[in-house]
Amino acid sequence: MKVPINWLKEYVQIDCSAGELSERLTFSGLEVEGIEHYGSGLNGIASAVILSVEPHPSAEGFLVCGVYDGRRELSVVCGARNVKVGDSVAFAGIGTVLPGGRRIEQVEIQGVESEGMLCAEDELGLSDDHSGVMILPEDTPAGTPLPQMIGPPEPVLNIEVTPNRADCLSMIGIAREIAALLGKPLRLPEVRLDETAYPIEDAASVRIEDAEACPRYTARLVSGIKLAASPPWMRRRLFECGIRPINNAVDITNYVMLECGQPLHAFDMACLKDGGIVVRRAKEGEMITTLDGAARSLTPAMLVIADARTPVALAGVMGGASSGISGSTGTILLESACFKPAVVRKASKLTGLSSESSRRFEHGIDMENVEWASRRAAALLTSFAGGHVARGVIDLFAARPQRKKIICRFGRVRKLLGLKIPGDRVMDIFRSLDLDVSESNKSYCLVNVPSFRLDLENEADLIEEVARIHGLDKIPGSASRCTVVPDADDALSRAVALCRSHLCGLGLTEIMNYSFVSDTLLDMFASGNAQGRVILPRPISAEHSVLRNSLLPQMGDTLRRNCSRQTEKAALFEMGRVFFKDEKGLIEEERLCIGLMGPVGRSGLDRRGAPSEEELFLWLKGIFESLCHSLGLKGDPLGFSSGCSRIVFSATDRKTPARQLFPAACLEKDRSVFILFDGQPVGIMGLLKQSIRDEWRLRMPVALVELTTGSILQEAFTTRSAAKLPMYPSVRRDVAMVVSENVTHESVLEAMRKIAPKELTSIDLFDIYYSKDLGMSCKGMAYSLEYRSLDRTLTDDEVNELHAAIKAGIKTELEVEIREG
Amino acid sequence: MKAQDILDLKSKAIEECHNAGSSEELEAIRIKFLGRNGLLQEIMKGLKGAEPSERPAMGRAANELKQELGANIGSCRDLLGAAKSGGKKRVAFDYTLPGRWHGRGARHPISAVIEDAVRIFASLGFTVADGPDIETEYYNFDALNTPADHPSRDTQDTFWLESGELLRTQTSPVQIRVMEQQKPPVRIIAPGRCYRRDTTDATHSANFHQIEGLYVDENVSMADLKGDITYFARKMMGPEVKVRFRPHFFPFTEPSVEYDFSCHVCKGAGCRVCKNSGWIEISGAGMVHPRVFGFVGYDSEKTTGYAFGMGVERIAMIKYGINDIRLLYDNDIRFLEQLSS
């Protein structure tokens, strides 16, 4: 809110600088976001009179104006359309610097020289208006410097008023705060009203149909109105507050609203049928054209002011055009009322119409002040618009609210703030804010909350008043101390951090994508799961319209984006939530995703050339195994191809429940697996489908894994016990075999495990080779087997016997040729 | 045999080993003197039968033989090896070649800030708590003392879902969830994602992170809040950082404050980062509103507490000098790897 300091000075003595005042306000809860100097930087700008207006010969939309600046006649090209011969306008000659820093030069606009500029208000920093050239009062002599007309620059505070402080949406409200901060009295304007006309009841009536929505309604009649411009001081203050002066009658209603926070409305009495006003709910299908010229259809959710026929105002939001002040207005019905915040809010939302008035009603207004505001405005209308006020006021005030009484215990103040503050100081603070202390003793006081402080409801609210007026800087910061909460545990969060640091240690970089994605991207990865997606009904953009149901699509997209920026090699991971819905409702799940692209894992000299699909897959699998290991899911010495006996890989073509949970369709069918943990599907791993790579021009193969982390993180911090180390030496024997190309490592392990004696303690694959000698579609595999007994040294003969049995076992299980030698 | 005999033997052996012409010869010398059935073993066996008075000296001499001869054999072997390779083609060794490692990895700056904050608050006894991203109106607004028509709902535009649930606009719902589950004392920190319908620009993102803190016990005061926030600021941004508090308004705290850190770039003198104010606004905090205690069944007479929230992106941007929030979600590897540590 814009607050001119000069205006405040009418209500409170301010003898500090604008900067100091800002500081005090900011540290008491009214944050001053900036100080503007209204009317500064206007040197060189003066009035000029329009002598002629011609359309520009070639530049469409431009005018060529002849102007007189008090010394000579000049020709100026102008883009605005609102000038006519005889107007007095704001003119900046060649060499003038506008408040924004722009210097006016002589320019040629399509063949016509322009010797200056006719300025709009926004160009002069006087308002936000850029609708046309600033037109000055008619009788302004040409050459009058604008600073002389505007007055000297004055500081205007731009204050952010928090939603609870409705009382500070007014000059008096802010002045009251300043009075408390500076220890000065608050002076309210004295209102003396001469009621000279007929009794109001003779001409007007008011009826409230919905007293809950409108707890108070007052009306005054002011006749004999002579519309004219408001006095310059009033115009200037409205300007400074960002409100456009219109005429004395309208300006006065706005002025009083800014002064005390009570929105007012002036109806042209002649336009109200039968002079009667009804405050009622709108009827379905009723229409109103509001003052901004828009026709609006109304619903019963909205409260209206109506005359005997139709609505004449949308209560608290905006008046109707038909009953507004116009040149012919002679008698005004002045409305000052209180409308329920929720009702105004609803109407404002439904119509999309927000005004200075609706903003104040939504925050809540001081019900006790309604009549004072009306009186104040009526008095100003008498002074500045020639009005005569009818005798009396219509004041319908159904239920005067009780004043709240709150007990404030001084001990509680000290406890909550951690501040040693005497009770007398606490009460002084209350009194300085016009909070009436009616009762007190050594340990507490009773505060009667005035009607303008809607925000004060309990003791904590009063304690806040003490904190902010006394000063937060006076509260000492305690020395921090560790306090232990027994049984509190955050192992899961530590396990996540462990995953993160482990993966970073393996050379992976963490990424973070939005929780929102586009349908298109999800479809590209898995078009089958569309019904389980969580849609945002009002997305910001189509790119961000669905909650992600997998981390893979964005991982793929991230690799694509980096690839397009000349990064051909990447090892990335993301940990985050995914969202989907099933019969039971919305589900969110923590997941981990890893994406590898190009020759990752290889060091410097080996990076030439793309890795084979198998190589990249095995890098990914290695990272996965290593991660499982760090999470306490250790390998089995007899070697499961997954690295851990509790984790099983199964082909993605099998029907498993994981198919719905993970977008398996984005992976190459025979280059991907489901991951099962203790029999439950927890993820998928594999190579990104060729068709997606082609579409995204990914030259290098991409390997992806996505895991649900819930279960696999559970044992990260399980304590393990040490086993006795073996005392007797082990013996190694190798076995080399030739098998068909499609015999897997896992099936060889399986064959060996089947007949493994207890002395077989480990199986290591140490070579795979292809050679012409082996024949087409065959490969050689070589394993090193370790034998050991826990209670004695094995003899050569014993080992040979065990080893022969294993070899024989492999032969019965697999089609294999064992190489001897 | 006397100790002197052993020392003589030592000299002889060392001489022999310097005369050796090949590593095979050297190995033979090692076996002869130090092998399992070598002369040293014999001497050791002989110790048992020696005069008790002689034994310590003999033992020392035997040990000397073992140590010195072993060292001499080692150095002679190196010499022989070097001479050998000098004669043949040397195997290349270039210690300036790039080392072999996986490449570098990096935590995302947002994770880095969260982990640092969690670590700092853990040192004060805070543990991590968590809540869902998809929240109910009750936890996100009602129980946080933000009734339906309250103007403060205006200040945050919410993503509502078809189910009537919403994407949480703040991490504060975690406060309610935790207090519903446990009795005081409560000392938690809750990092998490939040969502607001902000149009994305250099400083706004519809998807962002907050860290919520909550401390409830008997006798928690605003002085504790000030102390702990200041402790955090110094650990996070550096020991010279100052913190200031300004009164503010939040529906779920009373009194409420906003807090600023002194600008770490200009040390408070005023610069572009802090818009010449010397201060950078961080976030909000306050004393838990008695009505919030009412919602979770705590006795607001007996217990008091403070709560704070802070924007993770904001801290990350300040700490790492990032000028556009969008960089945090663009995931450009070149950007992320700069911050690896």
Side-chain angles (χ1 to χ4, degrees):
Chain A
M1 194 177 66
K2 290 184 176 174
V3 182
I5 293 182
N6 258 0
W7 194 348
L8 292 174
K9 285 181 179 166
E10 242 175 60
Y11 316 110
V12 63
Q13 185 191 337
I14 298 172
D15 36 25
C16 58
S17 70
E20 211 177 306
L21 183 65
S22 299
E23 191 87 352
R24 295 295 296 269
L25 285 170
T26 295
F27 285 92
S28 71
L30 286 170
E31 189 181 348
V32 176
E33 293 178 318
I35 305 172
E36 294 160 19
H37 290 271
Y38 186 84
S40 62
L42 296 176
N43 285 337
I45 295 158
S47 64
V49 178
I50 305 282
L51 303 173
S52 63
V53 179
E54 305 281 342
H56 191 287
S58 54
E60 203 178 325
F62 283 87
L63 300 175
V64 181
C65 303
V67 302
Y68 176 64
D69 71 351
R71 282 175 294 155
R72 57 200 181 106
E73 290 180 31
L74 300 156
S75 171
V76 178
V77 178
C78 152
R81 311 289 300 178
N82 69 326
V83 287
K84 59 181 192 299
V85 173
D87 277 350
S88 193
V89 296
F91 172 72
I94 307 287
T96 310
V97 180
L98 297 184
R102 177 174 163 201
R103 190 186 157 86
I104 305 298
E105 309 284 354
Q106 177 148 0
V107 290
E108 188 198 292
I109 296 169
Q110 295 200 18
V112 180
E113 289 289 322
S114 183
E115 301 172 290
M117 177 173 148
L118 308 186
C119 307
E121 280 167 11
D122 67 334
E123 289 157 341
L124 300 174
L126 296 175
S127 80
D128 298 330
D129 188 26
H130 191 69
S131 63
V133 168
M134 182 179 185
I135 307 288
L136 301 171
E138 269 174 44
D139 45 3
T140 312
T144 313
L146 206 59
Q148 187 185 315
M149 304 171 67
I150 301 280
E154 290 291 347
V156 177
L157 306 178
N158 195 358
I159 297 182
E160 187 205 340
V161 177
T162 53
N164 58 324
R165 292 305 301 274
D167 61 306
C168 286
L169 292 172
S170 69
M171 299 303 140
I172 290 176
I174 293 196
R176 185 180 284 116
E177 288 284 305
I178 294 170
L181 290 171
L182 303 182
K184 303 278 199 256
L186 179 73
R187 303 179 301 246
L188 294 179
E190 219 172 286
V191 182
R192 285 186 38 217
L193 194 58
D194 291 328
E195 296 175 332
T196 52
Y198 45 85
I200 185 167
E201 290 81 4
D202 292 358
S205 70
V206 176
R207 184 160 53 86
I208 299 176
E209 281 189 3
D210 188 340
E212 208 218 320
C214 175
R216 189 172 189 186
Y217 196 101
T218 70
R220 274 200 162 84
L221 272 183
V222 186
S223 56
I225 294 289
K226 290 175 198 64
L227 284 188
S230 308
W233 59 268
M234 187 182 285
R235 289 170 55 86
R236 160 114 189 199
R237 282 183 181 172
L238 292 176
F239 262 130
E240 286 174 341
C241 292
I243 288 185
R244 164 157 307 279
I246 296 172
N247 58 46
N248 48 8
V250 174
D251 291 355
I252 285 167
T253 59
N254 284 330
Y255 183 84
V256 174
M257 173 182 73
L258 291 173
E259 180 177 56
C260 70
Q262 170 66 49
L264 301 168
H265 186 66
F267 293 102
D268 183 342
M269 191 62 185
C271 302
L272 299 177
K273 183 173 160 53
D274 300 340
I277 272 194
V278 187
V279 184
R280 61 163 168 87
R281 294 280 173 170
K283 296 179 186 123
E284 199 69 61
E286 270 186 323
M287 298 285 291
I288 187 171
T289 302
T290 40
L291 276 169
D292 57 355
R296 300 171 190 278
S297 53
L298 305 172
T299 76
M302 305 172 190
L303 193 72
V304 295
I305 317 301
D307 65 6
R309 293 164 306 189
T310 57
V312 291
L314 189 54
V317 182
M318 197 175 272
S322 66
S323 60
I325 303 302
S326 69
S328 59
T329 300
T331 301
I332 282 173
L333 185 138
L334 184 66
E335 165 197 292
S336 178
C338 176
F339 303 112
K340 197 177 158 192
V343 174
V344 175
R345 184 186 171 80
K346 183 104 192 186
S348 173
K349 278 237 149 137
L350 289 172
T351 54
L353 196 58
S354 169
S355 61
E356 291 283 336
S357 160
S358 68
R359 192 157 73 96
R360 286 177 173 78
F361 280 121
E362 282 177 41
H363 285 80
I365 56 147
D366 177 6
M367 243 190 263
E368 301 282 1
N369 185 52
V370 171
E371 196 276 331
W372 184 90
S374 163
R375 211 167 350 125
R376 169 79 168 149
L380 290 173
L381 285 168
T382 319
S383 308
F384 299 106
H388 305 287
V389 183
R391 268 209 308 285
V393 59
I394 296 174
D395 187 354
L396 304 181
F397 197 173
R400 184 171 292 243
Q402 285 281 319
R403 278 203 166 194
K404 276 168 287 188
K405 289 182 195 297
I406 307 172
I407 286 177
C408 180
R409 294 161 297 173
F410 305 136
R412 188 75 184 173
V413 176
R414 293 176 201 126
K415 179 172 165 173
L416 202 63
L417 299 182
L419 172 75
K420 290 193 182 82
I421 183 169
D424 286 343
R425 170 72 180 135
V426 171
M427 289 189 289
D428 284 346
I429 288 171
F430 292 154
R431 291 191 191 105
S432 74
L433 289 164
D434 282 353
L435 309 180
D436 173 32
V437 177
S438 65
E439 225 185 286
S440 69
N441 63 24
K442 257 166 60 186
S443 59
Y444 75 90
C445 67
L446 183 67
V447 174
N448 297 312
V449 180
S451 58
F452 55 82
R453 288 303 299 269
L454 299 166
D455 59 316
L456 300 181
E457 294 182 330
N458 56 43
E459 192 177 30
D461 295 325
L462 291 177
I463 294 172
E464 180 171 64
E465 297 303 292
V466 175
R468 64 185 193 84
I469 300 296
H470 188 66
L472 289 176
D473 56 330
K474 297 206 180 70
I475 297 175
S478 310
S480 291
R481 56 184 194 273
C482 181
T483 307
V484 175
V485 177
D487 302 329
D489 181 37
D490 53 9
L492 202 62
S493 138
R494 283 183 290 127
V496 168
L498 177 75
C499 277
R500 183 179 292 122
S501 70
H502 187 81
L503 292 171
C504 288
L506 290 175
L508 280 78
T509 293
E510 187 184 18
I511 60 167
M512 225 175 249
N513 277 298
Y514 275 178
S515 299
F516 321 122
V517 284
S518 70
D519 256 322
T520 328
L521 185 64
L522 293 187
D523 284 345
M524 194 167 171
F525 275 67
S527 52
N529 60 18
Q531 43 322 338
R533 293 178 194 166
V534 183
I535 314 283
L536 291 181
R538 285 175 62 225
I540 293 178
S541 69
E543 284 302 295
H544 299 134
S545 59
V546 192
L547 292 184
R548 57 180 174 182
N549 56 15
S550 161
L551 303 179
L552 289 176
Q554 288 162 311
M555 173 60 79
D557 195 41
T558 303
L559 290 169
R560 176 198 60 75
R561 199 163 51 245
N562 278 284
C563 188
S564 72
R565 293 171 187 165
Q566 297 178 299
T567 303
E568 292 224 306
K569 166 180 105 58
L572 306 177
F573 73 100
E574 175 165 15
M575 303 179 82
R577 288 180 179 169
V578 301
F579 308 85
F580 43 87
K581 61 180 177 204
D582 65 6
E583 320 75 57
K584 281 170 274 165
L586 302 180
I587 295 169
E588 56 190 273
E589 198 175 271
E590 301 281 351
R591 290 204 182 162
L592 162 68
C593 170
I594 300 173
L596 304 182
M597 175 174 74
V600 291
R602 291 198 204 151
S603 56
L605 299 176
D606 316 330
R607 276 192 202 122
R608 280 159 301 171
S612 73
E613 291 187 326
E614 190 179 75
E615 181 191 340
L616 192 67
F617 182 91
L618 294 178
W619 268 116
L620 182 61
K621 185 176 158 186
I623 289 167
F624 171 73
E625 287 173 358
S626 153
L627 181 67
C628 288
H629 199 84
S630 78
L631 292 173
L633 306 170
K634 301 238 167 152
D636 185 303
L638 291 194
F640 277 80
S641 70
S642 65
C644 170
S645 58
R646 296 171 66 187
I647 291 172
V648 172
F649 291 149
S650 83
T652 45
D653 51 0
R654 225 183 308 153
K655 285 248 178 284
T656 99
R659 187 158 277 284
Q660 281 98 56
L661 295 175
F662 301 96
C666 72
L667 302 179
E668 283 293 339
K669 206 166 154 198
D670 51 356
R671 300 277 186 275
S672 57
V673 291
F674 281 123
I675 303 166
L676 307 180
F677 178 66
D678 290 343
Q680 293 300 310
V682 294
I684 50 172
M685 168 157 40
L687 294 163
L688 183 64
K689 222 161 52 175
Q690 187 67 43
S691 59
I692 298 179
R693 274 176 61 196
D694 289 346
E695 193 174 332
W696 280 351
R697 298 180 192 185
L698 295 170
R699 199 172 57 81
M700 294 283 185
V702 169
L704 299 167
V705 62
E706 177 169 37
L707 285 172
T708 295
T709 49
S711 51
I712 65 166
L713 295 181
Q714 294 299 332
E715 283 160 54
F717 301 107
T718 307
T719 306
R720 279 160 272 271
S721 35
K724 204 178 153 200
L725 292 177
M727 292 176 63
Y728 299 95
S730 66
V731 182
R732 281 199 171 269
R733 290 282 189 276
D734 295 347
V735 51
M737 62 190 91
V738 177
V739 291
S740 154
E741 196 180 42
N742 52 22
V743 168
T744 63
H745 169 55
E746 175 77 40
S747 60
V748 175
L749 291 177
E750 182 71 40
M752 292 197 220
R753 273 199 303 265
K754 230 175 206 173
I755 43 159
K758 68 176 192 302
E759 289 84 1
L760 177 61
T761 48
S762 103
I763 306 171
D764 293 314
L765 174 66
F766 71 88
D767 199 13
I768 293 185
Y769 52 99
Y770 296 86
S771 120
K772 263 185 281 180
D773 305 342
L774 299 178
M776 293 294 277
S777 66
C778 280
K779 64 182 172 186
M781 297 179 93
Y783 289 86
S784 168
L785 277 56
E786 185 192 64
Y787 297 93
R788 188 205 298 275
S789 165
L790 288 178
D791 44 27
R792 66 204 164 80
T793 305
L794 293 173
T795 65
D796 270 2
D797 289 346
E798 283 172 315
V799 174
N800 290 344
E801 200 175 309
L802 293 169
H803 197 59
I806 296 250
K807 286 200 254 190
I810 298 171
K811 271 187 182 162
T812 54
E813 291 292 323
L814 297 170
E815 202 152 299
V816 57
E817 180 199 327
I818 303 277
R819 293 249 159 144
E820 300 293 347
Chain B
M1 191 177 266
K2 297 262 168 55
Q4 190 52 50
D5 298 335
I6 299 173
L7 293 176
D8 289 348
L9 188 65
K10 181 191 82 177
S11 310
K12 189 172 157 253
I14 290 173
E15 197 184 327
E16 265 184 49
C17 101
H18 282 284
N19 290 335
S22 70
S23 39
E24 287 77 26
E25 251 175 77
L26 203 58
E27 180 62 7
I29 294 166
R30 190 189 69 79
I31 291 169
K32 176 176 155 196
F33 288 95
L34 304 178
R36 203 183 291 171
N37 298 313
L39 288 169
L40 181 66
Q41 280 302 317
E42 242 168 71
I43 292 166
M44 297 309 277
K45 279 181 199 153
L47 272 178
K48 280 181 199 153
E51 285 283 315
S53 59
E54 295 276 351
R55 266 186 227 162
M58 285 175 70
R60 270 196 301 278
N63 201 39
E64 228 172 84
L65 167 64
K66 185 182 172 187
Q67 299 296 335
E68 286 187 26
L69 182 57
N72 275 286
I73 289 174
S75 57
C76 287
R77 188 184 287 139
D78 290 348
L79 282 172
L80 284 170
K84 199 171 155 192
S85 60
K88 292 181 197 163
K89 191 179 177 323
R90 193 171 168 272
V91 177
F93 179 84
D94 179 355
Y95 67 86
T96 65
L97 288 174
R100 298 193 160 224
W101 57 313
H102 299 288
R104 49 186 169 171
R107 288 186 297 178
H108 193 280
I110 290 175
S111 294
V113 167
I114 290 176
E115 283 190 5
D116 287 357
V118 166
R119 178 178 50 76
I120 293 164
F121 280 103
S123 71
L124 294 177
F126 284 75
T127 46
V128 176
D130 199 8
D133 288 16
I134 298 178
E135 263 298 358
T136 62
E137 196 173 356
Y138 178 78
Y139 285 110
N140 196 73
F141 289 124
D142 299 346
L144 289 165
N145 192 34
T146 316
D149 275 315
H150 202 283
S152 71
R153 284 203 189 184
D154 256 3
T155 62
Q156 39 199 7
D157 215 345
T158 308
F159 283 108
W160 293 88
L161 301 175
E162 276 161 341
S163 60
E165 288 156 288
L166 51 88
L167 296 180
R168 64 175 171 192
T169 59
Q170 50 198 1
T171 41
S172 309
V174 181
Q175 290 183 27
I176 306 296
R177 289 182 175 272
V178 170
M179 287 192 282
E180 277 182 349
Q181 292 300 315
Q182 73 181 78
K183 290 284 145 216
V186 173
R187 208 159 161 87
I188 55 138
I189 179 162
R193 273 192 188 203
C194 310
Y195 309 87
R196 288 182 199 175
R197 289 182 44 81
D198 279 330
T199 308
T200 303
D201 60 24
T203 53
H204 293 88
S205 172
N207 175 133
F208 62 99
H209 292 75
Q210 276 191 344
I211 300 173
E212 192 79 10
L214 176 70
Y215 174 30
V216 180
D217 203 343
E218 290 171 16
N219 296 317
V220 179
S221 76
M222 193 136 222
D224 297 317
L225 172 66
K226 283 186 75 172
D228 289 352
I229 294 276
T230 308
Y231 172 83
F232 168 76
R234 294 194 177 141
K235 293 279 175 188
M236 190 73 171
M237 309 303 291
E240 72 285 358
V241 163
K242 290 196 260 304
V243 185
R244 68 175 192 185
F245 295 78
R246 288 175 285 111
H248 201 71
F249 167 74
F250 301 105
F252 39 95
T253 47
E254 190 77 43
S256 302
V257 299
E258 275 192 334
Y259 55 95
D260 309 327
F261 290 175
S262 61
C263 180
H264 69 300
V265 177
C266 60
K267 312 286 175 229
C271 68
R272 193 182 50 80
V273 173
C274 59
K275 295 185 191 122
N276 282 319
S277 70
W279 296 92
I280 294 174
E281 189 177 321
I282 299 295
S283 206
M287 304 305 295
V288 179
H289 199 291
R291 281 220 204 93
V292 172
F293 282 145
F295 274 106
V296 298
Y298 280 16
D299 178 355
S300 64
E301 268 303 300
K302 241 177 80 186
T303 49
T304 52
Y306 71 65
F308 60 82
M310 52 183 93
V312 179
E313 279 80 354
R314 185 153 183 78
I315 294 175
M317 288 169 78
I318 295 165
K319 187 167 176 174
Y320 302 112
I322 300 166
N323 58 10
D324 191 326
I325 199 169
R326 288 168 289 203
L327 279 169
L328 292 169
Y329 292 97
D330 184 52
N331 297 315
D332 190 313
I333 297 172
R334 297 166 301 178
F335 167 77
L336 294 171
E337 285 185 345
Q338 291 180 61
L339 305 174
S340 68
S341 54

